[in-house]
Amino acid sequence: MLLLDQFRLETRGQPVPLCGNAQRLLAFIGLRRRVQRCVVAKTLWPHATEAHARGSLRTTLWKLPCGAQELLHCTQESLALAEDVGVDARTLAVTALDVVRGRGPQSIDSLLMELLEWGDLLPDWDDDWVVLEREWLRRLRLHALDTLSDRLARQGLPALALEAALASIRIDPLREAPHRSVVSTHLAEGNLVEALRHYEAFRHLLRTELGTEPSGQFRRMMPLERRCAVRRR
């Protein structure tokens, strides 16, 4: 089941067409793996009465095509995704958590590519539960990219460290941490001009968007800023 960039369900390599309610049902269960029926009903039909929401859930389950029905294990109390069903958003979350916790496969390249390749969670959906899940996954991915960038820099892999930091910046340009990673990597490589160019671009962005300046920690990283600070003393 694909939830990043867009919803797509495939069984045996063939797409399974689903109506909107069916997509929302499978997406919600796919993210949680196992959910109580009452939670599913309340979440997917938040403005309906409990009886109406439960009725809508039963109708949606009944209308699922055969290719989708076999992906669920249904009991009177809960709904669960079959163990062999893969969900790309969960794969991304596990990868990001492994990076943040310092676990995961030995290949840094594979970790980086997994974090770089995926898109946002169901970007065209505006359900409240999707917005919350999307923001959680986005933040987790950002922390993983920042962590991976620092790790790659320490391992003497500046090009890959820059890739991770720049990917983080593309997701959220106003966060300072990945910009510091970019500048730190350039300075470690002796690329002072590139470091200054990136720092000034970020400072201009902050002034334009937020009317503020980079943090003192970031300013002290820059050779010219350090010299100005010494003169001011």
Side-chain angles (χ1 to χ4, degrees), residues 143-161:
H143 286 307
L145 285 167
D146 293 347
T147 301
L148 190 58
S149 179
D150 291 341
R151 188 187 306 173
L152 290 164
R154 290 195 303 270
Q155 293 177 356
L157 299 169
L160 293 179

Side-chain angles (χ1 to χ4, degrees), residues 180-210:
R180 288 202 307 265
S181 295
V182 170
V183 168
S184 177
T185 302
H186 282 315
L187 290 175
E189 291 290 290
N191 297 325
L192 178 58
V193 173
E194 289 296 328
L196 289 171
R197 182 181 292 123
H198 190 92
Y199 174 79
E200 289 299 332
F202 177 61
R203 182 161 68 172
H204 176 74
L205 177 65
L206 281 187
R207 286 175 174 174
T208 303
E209 297 294 329
L210 302 177

